[in-house]
Amino acid sequence: NAGVTQTPKFQVLKTGQSMTLQCAQDMNHEYMSWYRQDPGMGLRLIHYSVGAGITDQGEVPNGYNVSRSTTEDFPLRLLSAAPSQTSVYFCASRRQQYYGYTFGSGTRLTVV
Amino acid sequence: AQKITQTQPGMFVQEKEAVTLDCTYDTSDPSYGLFWYKQPSSGEMIFLIYQGSYDQQNATEGRYSLNFQKARKSANLVISASQLGDSAMYFCAMRDNYGQNFVFGPGTRLSVLP
């Protein structure tokens, strides 16, 4: 049972480049979310999904897009990378709305 | 809006002693859930313990217990008999009544001294 798988683990982008962070879970969880972690600020919600075909914005959605075409996958797209998007990104999933999250191992992104 | 406050940026504890990590929350929801996660230096997020707002008893999981004081809106994590492997960041988190909103506090870095 792989849980939540994130790729890549590390990435360096130049300002203005775009890329997609991949996230897949094999637990048949309904809820999936993307968080970013910055020093001293905990984890802040970027986007979340309550099921295939349904997504919504979180606290810090600007500059990011998501889609959820299947239950398993929830990719995060950076449209035009900016240095302010340098962060550690976590994908997480949970079975239903009242459960806690299972996290992926994170992606450390640096934008230069 | 929901908010989680963790007032201790860093804590030190001697090995084998107990330590309490503070967490206060703000919500107007009648029903909510409180979580604690551990993040070791390797970076992964590990679920530790959960407390529902209507649970009558404080949650316990091995050496972890949650001191839940609903009237004070606090949900402190107590780690008994600290071990060197407990050195990590600890995050308090809360989900709202409908489970849509799931927010984290800024975290407390715990260092266990030999």
Side-chain angles (χ1 to χ4, degrees):
Chain A
N1 191 346
V4 180
T5 302
Q6 284 184 242
T7 55
K9 293 191 182 301
F10 301 94
Q11 184 70 49
V12 178
L13 288 179
K14 293 183 179 179
T15 297
Q17 286 185 317
S18 62
M19 79 159 295
T20 299
L21 306 185
Q22 301 292 343
C23 176
Q25 53 93 7
D26 62 358
M27 298 172 285
N28 202 31
H29 284 175
E30 293 182 15
Y31 282 62
M32 296 186 75
S33 295
W34 277 100
Y35 287 88
R36 60 177 289 174
Q37 182 180 18
D38 302 293
M41 303 188 74
L43 281 76
R44 292 182 294 167
L45 182 63
I46 305 171
H47 286 284
Y48 68 96
S49 169
V50 300
I54 306 169
T55 63
D56 207 345
Q57 296 181 350
E59 179 185 358
V60 288
N62 292 341
Y64 308 95
N65 272 355
V66 292
S67 60
R68 184 105 179 263
S69 57
T70 66
T71 300
E72 294 78 20
D73 299 303
F74 191 45
L76 178 72
R77 282 182 286 278
L78 279 71
L79 308 174
S80 177
S84 60
Q85 293 178 304
T86 294
S87 187
V88 179
Y89 291 85
F90 285 98
C91 180
S93 73
R94 50 186 169 137
R95 187 187 309 168
Q96 293 175 354
Q97 64 264 42
Y98 299 114
Y99 288 74
Y101 275 115
T102 298
F103 282 84
S105 57
T107 296
R108 185 173 294 275
L109 176 69
T110 302
V111 182
V112 298
Chain B
Q2 295 175 286
K3 185 178 180 181
I4 296 282
T5 301
Q6 294 179 258
T7 58
Q8 306 153 314
M11 290 276 289
F12 291 90
V13 65
Q14 209 68 37
E15 192 178 8
K16 300 181 184 178
E17 292 185 348
V19 63
T20 298
L21 306 184
D22 294 341
C23 172
T24 58
Y25 58 91
D26 187 20
T27 182
S28 56
D29 286 342
S31 174
Y32 48 89
L34 296 155
F35 302 80
W36 278 92
Y37 286 83
K38 173 184 179 181
Q39 187 179 42
S41 59
S42 53
E44 71 267 33
M45 295 286 287
I46 303 167
F47 166 73
L48 295 178
I49 197 166
Y50 165 77
Q51 178 84 41
S53 59
Y54 288 119
D55 293 342
Q56 295 296 316
Q57 292 187 325
N58 287 342
T60 60
E61 290 286 349
R63 294 186 298 110
Y64 304 108
S65 61
L66 201 152
N67 184 359
F68 181 47
Q69 299 187 42
K70 193 171 183 177
R72 293 186 176 184
K73 293 189 175 179
S74 74
N76 298 338
L77 177 70
V78 181
I79 306 175
S80 63
S82 296
Q83 302 173 355
L84 295 178
D86 294 334
S87 294
M89 282 289 288
Y90 289 82
F91 292 97
C92 181
M94 177 173 63
R95 62 139 179 92
D96 64 9
N97 187 25
Y98 300 102
Q100 303 281 7
N101 202 8
F102 202 106
V103 297
F104 287 82
T108 294
R109 182 172 297 280
L110 177 66
S111 298
V112 180
L113 306 175

